[in-house]
């Protein structure tokens, strides 16, 4: 997309039935890096995140903890979910809660329109219901266990918990009417659902035939009331998905909505079906544009299992950031895992990559560059023309990383950027500034070598600022950069212009982590 375009990006809104783990943080960081990159490219960028607070699961969790659903949600939002954003340096523009008045009003308006236009009807439904998913399940979504506490029972394949058989009067959305329009959408916009593995799953699911969707519940009352029948509350997904338009001004601020919508949705692959099937069908029914794209990323695996509190594989983000820092958290998950595929987490891999890539690679490059300019030129950045080999590489890397971001290939963008890190470290080793400094006759060559390294390091500082906001802010100041690093055009990073002087770093950007500390974290 061209710089200056609107770029509205969202994370899912997360259930407040428990505290966040690194799986949630992974989604947040990915969306944040994409948003930061687009902001620094000059796009009109807006990042939305938030919490999903309605539904039977929240109600039961609150009752089990002897409190009200609203009090439970308020506590989790203020003491767990919003603090997560600070822990991992998320620069969101908005935070929506499904209990917000702005959301509830807009949901009511949207639902009434669909009802008035004939897209909703009443009926009776009986089926298997998973409280964890807040969704009725088909038989192929279930499996019969043979051992353990639930032996002989049908359990949800995602949560491994028994489903309930429910029969109740519900309101239904005529989703079956959108089977062909959805298939036409996937064909006409091949990039609408990404990556291709998720797209193929979605297409096969829709081709099997779509049933009408139950969109209300009458057996509990924690939710938004159906406007024409207050004995029903809105089905949690029909409520939750609407956050993306209610936060963007739907039904309230037409000018803002036109500016923001449509959005790019970053979600886990397990909820891609809701976003790529139900959500665009809802929007089509309302006469609104479908999202720009739905990207279903892979799962974080620990010990071969998907990250989950219920399976005791959940790791709190602070268990990592307290030892390695937020920059390392952000870098590790986005470089070590191919975005869009499942990826395994291990403390050993995190520690190894921190040491080799951040501390010894980028961090040491920064430290010795500034130290050499300080030692050999008294802190004055040499006024010399940088070697073309490095400046040309800096441009190629910038272009490649920018193109990778447009493909949501964050790990590929970082791999491209790291080509410059490795090249600069190799350049220093090859040209040995410390040896050049011993002979005054080599003064001009020494100036050129250090000017080249400073230029490359400045380029890296801009390119890495969406991923490593803390370290690059410190380094930008040390390089005498004008303004803040996040104000620099990331798509023109190779055009970096150095300040006049460097300022010594007071500490390494990525301090050595003692083995004992990492073992303690594990």
């Amino acid at each position: 997309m061209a710089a200056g375009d609107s770029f509205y990006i969202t994370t899912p809104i997360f259930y407040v039935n428990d505290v966040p783990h690194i799986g949630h943080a992974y989604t947040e960081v990915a969306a944040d890096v994409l948003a930061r990159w687009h902001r620094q490219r000059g796009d009109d960028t807006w990042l939305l995140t938030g919490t999903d607070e309605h539904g039977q699961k929240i109600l039961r969790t609150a009752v089990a903890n002897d409190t009200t659903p609203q009090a439970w949600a308020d506590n989790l939002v203020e003491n767990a979910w919003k603090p997560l954003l600070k822990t991992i340096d998320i620069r969101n523009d908005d935070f929506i809660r499904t209990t917000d008045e702005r959301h509830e009003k807009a949901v009511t308006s949207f639902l009434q329109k669909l009802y008035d236009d004939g897209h909703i009807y009443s009926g009776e439904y009986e089926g298997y219901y998973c409280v964890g998913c807040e969704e009725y399940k088909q038989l192929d979504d279930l499996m019969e266990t043979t051992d353990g506490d639930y032996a002989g029972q049908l359990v949800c394949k995602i949560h491994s918990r028994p489903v309930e058989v429910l029969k109740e009067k519900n309101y239904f959305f005529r989703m079956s009417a959108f089977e062909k329009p959805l298939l036409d959408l996937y064909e006409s916009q091949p990039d609408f659902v990404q990556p291709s593995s998720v797209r193929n799953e979605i297409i096969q699911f829709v081709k099997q035939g779509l049933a009408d969707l139950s969109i209300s519940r009458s057996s509990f009352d924690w939710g938004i009331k159906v406007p024409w029948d207050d004995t029903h509350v809105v089905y949690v997904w029909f409520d939750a998905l609407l956050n993306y338009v209610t936060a963007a001004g739907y039904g309230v601020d037409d000018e803002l909505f036109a500016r923001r919508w449509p959005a790019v949705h970053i979600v886990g692959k397990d909820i891609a079906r809701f976003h790529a099937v139900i959500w665009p069908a809802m929007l089509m029914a309302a006469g609104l544009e479908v999202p720009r794209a739905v990207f279903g990323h892979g799962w974080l695996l620990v010990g071969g299992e998907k990250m989950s509190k219920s399976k005791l594989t959940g790791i709190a983000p602070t268990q990592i950031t307290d030892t390695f820092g937020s920059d390392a958290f952000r870098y590790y998950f986005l470089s070590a895992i191919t975005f869009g595929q499942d990826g395994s987490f291990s403390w050993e891999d995190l520690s190894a990559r921190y040491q080799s890539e951040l501390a010894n690679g980028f961090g040491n490059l920064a430290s010795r560059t500034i130290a050499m300019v300080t030692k050999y030129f008294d802190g004055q950045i040499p006024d010399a023309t940088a070697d073309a080999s490095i400046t040309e590489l800096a441009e190629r890397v910038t272009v490649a990383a920018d193109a990778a971001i447009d493909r949501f290939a964050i790990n590929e963008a970082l791999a491209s950027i790291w080509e410059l890190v490795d090249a600069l470290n190799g350049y220093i080793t090859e040209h040995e500034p410390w040896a050049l400094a011993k002979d005054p006759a080599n003064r001009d060559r020494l100036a050129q070598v250090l000017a080249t390294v400073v230029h490359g390091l400045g380029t890296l500082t801009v390119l890495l600022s969406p991923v490593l906001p803390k370290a690059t802010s410190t380094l930008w100041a040390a390089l005498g950069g004008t303004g803040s690093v996040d104000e620099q055009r990331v798509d023109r990073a190779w055009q970096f212009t150095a300040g006049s002087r460097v300022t010594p770093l007071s500490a390494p950007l990525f301090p050595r982590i003692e083995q004992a500390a990492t073992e303690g974290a594990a």
Side-chain angles (χ1 to χ4, degrees):
M1 61 189 294
D5 289 348
S6 172
F7 184 72
Y8 174 30
I9 185 169
T10 74
T11 72
I13 52 173
F14 299 103
Y15 276 130
V16 292
N17 60 310
D18 207 341
V19 297
H21 55 58
I22 61 173
H24 303 110
Y26 174 52
T27 309
E28 291 278 8
V29 167
D32 181 65
V33 167
L34 292 169
R36 285 176 182 264
W37 191 284
H38 279 270
R39 282 194 201 100
Q40 284 187 237
R41 202 163 73 176
D43 294 328
D44 180 15
T45 302
W46 197 259
L47 172 60
L48 173 70
T49 190
T51 46
D52 184 1
E53 302 173 18
H54 290 137
Q56 192 170 17
K57 182 163 56 176
I58 306 301
L59 175 62
R60 289 185 179 181
T61 302
V63 170
N65 286 273
D66 196 28
T67 187
T68 66
Q70 188 67 65
W72 175 263
D74 290 345
N75 178 58
L76 264 291
V77 168
E78 295 304 322
N79 295 312
W81 289 95
K82 285 187 175 179
L84 167 69
L85 305 180
K86 294 182 179 179
T87 295
I88 52 177
D89 285 328
I90 304 301
R91 187 182 163 190
N92 56 300
D93 297 286
D94 197 359
F95 188 99
I96 191 164
R97 302 175 60 180
T98 53
T99 53
D100 286 346
E101 183 179 3
R102 60 173 173 162
H103 177 72
E104 295 189 353
K105 283 185 175 181
V107 168
T108 300
S109 174
F110 186 96
L111 204 66
Q112 187 68 56
K113 174 174 174 52
L114 263 58
Y115 182 72
D116 292 344
D117 290 346
H119 294 292
I120 294 173
Y121 65 93
S122 64
E124 195 169 76
Y125 189 84
E126 181 175 11
Y128 299 107
Y129 192 81
C130 172
V131 174
C133 292
E134 298 279 12
E135 179 190 17
Y136 281 103
K137 294 291 185 178
Q138 301 300 314
L139 277 174
D140 59 1
D141 296 320
L142 309 174
M143 62 182 178
E144 186 173 335
T145 55
T146 57
D147 52 21
D149 295 339
Y150 308 130
Q153 298 185 57
L154 285 175
V155 300
C156 170
K157 289 181 179 178
I158 295 176
H159 289 92
S160 300
R161 296 294 180 93
V163 291
E164 301 175 8
V165 178
L166 298 180
K167 182 178 181 180
E168 58 184 352
K169 174 189 173 184
N170 287 339
Y171 287 98
F172 290 81
F173 170 55
R174 299 183 191 276
M175 198 166 72
S176 57
F178 294 92
E179 181 178 326
K180 186 177 186 305
L182 285 169
L183 291 173
D184 290 344
L185 168 65
Y186 307 146
E187 182 177 356
S188 63
Q189 298 184 36
D191 293 337
F192 175 70
V193 184
Q194 299 180 51
S196 58
S197 57
V198 175
R199 178 177 183 270
N200 293 337
E201 278 188 25
I202 295 297
I203 291 174
Q204 289 308 310
F205 173 78
V206 176
K207 281 184 174 180
Q208 292 172 8
L210 294 178
D212 290 345
L213 177 70
S214 170
I215 64 164
S216 73
R217 299 293 304 278
S218 58
S219 56
F220 61 93
D221 63 358
W222 178 238
I224 299 173
K225 300 290 186 183
V226 171
W228 60 88
D229 185 349
D230 64 7
T231 65
H232 285 247
V233 294
V234 182
Y235 165 65
V236 65
W237 276 101
F238 218 80
D239 162 10
L241 289 164
L242 283 163
N243 89 89
Y244 305 125
V245 294
T246 63
Y250 170 78
V252 177
D253 189 332
D254 292 342
E255 184 178 344
L256 177 64
F257 186 65
R259 174 184 172 187
R260 294 276 174 242
W261 190 255
V264 169
H265 301 312
I266 304 297
V267 300
K269 66 179 182 180
D270 52 334
I271 59 172
R273 187 187 299 178
F274 298 98
H275 290 80
V277 180
I278 297 175
W279 180 221
M282 292 167 59
L283 293 165
M284 290 175 180
L288 299 176
E289 284 187 76
V290 298
R292 178 174 290 164
V294 175
F295 191 98
H297 67 72
W299 292 338
L300 285 189
L301 306 177
V302 176
E305 291 193 338
K306 178 193 173 189
M307 183 73 55
S308 168
K309 286 286 185 182
S310 62
K311 293 183 178 179
L312 302 180
T313 57
I315 298 170
T318 52
Q319 289 179 258
I320 294 175
T321 58
D322 285 353
T323 298
F324 294 93
S326 58
D327 276 359
F329 182 104
R330 294 165 64 93
Y331 173 79
Y332 172 72
F333 286 107
L334 295 182
S335 62
I337 297 170
T338 298
F339 195 55
Q341 297 180 14
D342 293 350
S344 295
F345 166 81
S346 76
W347 291 102
E348 293 79 11
D349 188 40
L350 168 61
S351 180
R353 285 177 178 270
Y354 176 91
Q355 192 62 39
S356 65
E357 296 169 21
L358 291 178
N360 293 342
F362 180 57
N364 189 47
L365 171 66
S367 295
R368 61 178 178 164
T369 297
I370 291 174
M372 286 188 293
V373 173
T374 301
K375 180 177 181 179
Y376 303 135
F377 288 89
D378 195 29
Q380 187 78 26
I381 297 174
D383 182 15
T385 301
D387 278 347
S389 62
I390 295 296
T391 57
E392 289 170 3
L393 176 61
E395 181 174 0
R396 288 199 304 272
V397 161
T398 299
V399 172
D402 193 46
I405 290 293
D406 273 342
R407 300 192 306 272
F408 302 103
I410 305 173
N411 57 295
E412 291 182 24
L414 282 168
S416 292
I417 294 167
W418 233 254
E419 289 180 32
L420 184 56
V421 174
D422 293 339
L424 287 171
N425 279 318
Y427 181 87
I428 291 172
T429 300
E430 178 184 357
H431 295 284
E432 300 182 326
W434 51 89
L436 293 173
K438 293 178 181 179
D439 186 348
N442 294 324
R443 185 71 173 174
D444 288 346
R445 180 56 182 155
L446 175 63
Q448 184 178 36
V449 168
L450 291 184
T452 299
V453 178
V454 167
H455 180 273
L457 184 60
T459 300
L460 286 172
T461 306
V462 176
L463 287 173
L464 288 170
S465 58
V467 182
L468 309 173
K470 281 188 167 65
T472 54
S473 178
T474 299
L475 184 53
W476 184 255
L479 290 172
T482 303
S484 62
V485 67
D486 59 9
E487 295 172 338
Q488 312 308 310
R489 286 292 294 258
V490 72
D491 56 334
R492 303 173 190 167
W494 80 88
Q495 297 177 355
F496 165 78
T497 302
S500 59
R501 300 185 61 82
V502 299
T503 303
L505 293 167
S506 59
L509 295 179
F510 298 97
R512 178 178 172 79
I513 303 295
E514 297 299 329
Q515 187 64 29
T518 62
E519 290 172 353

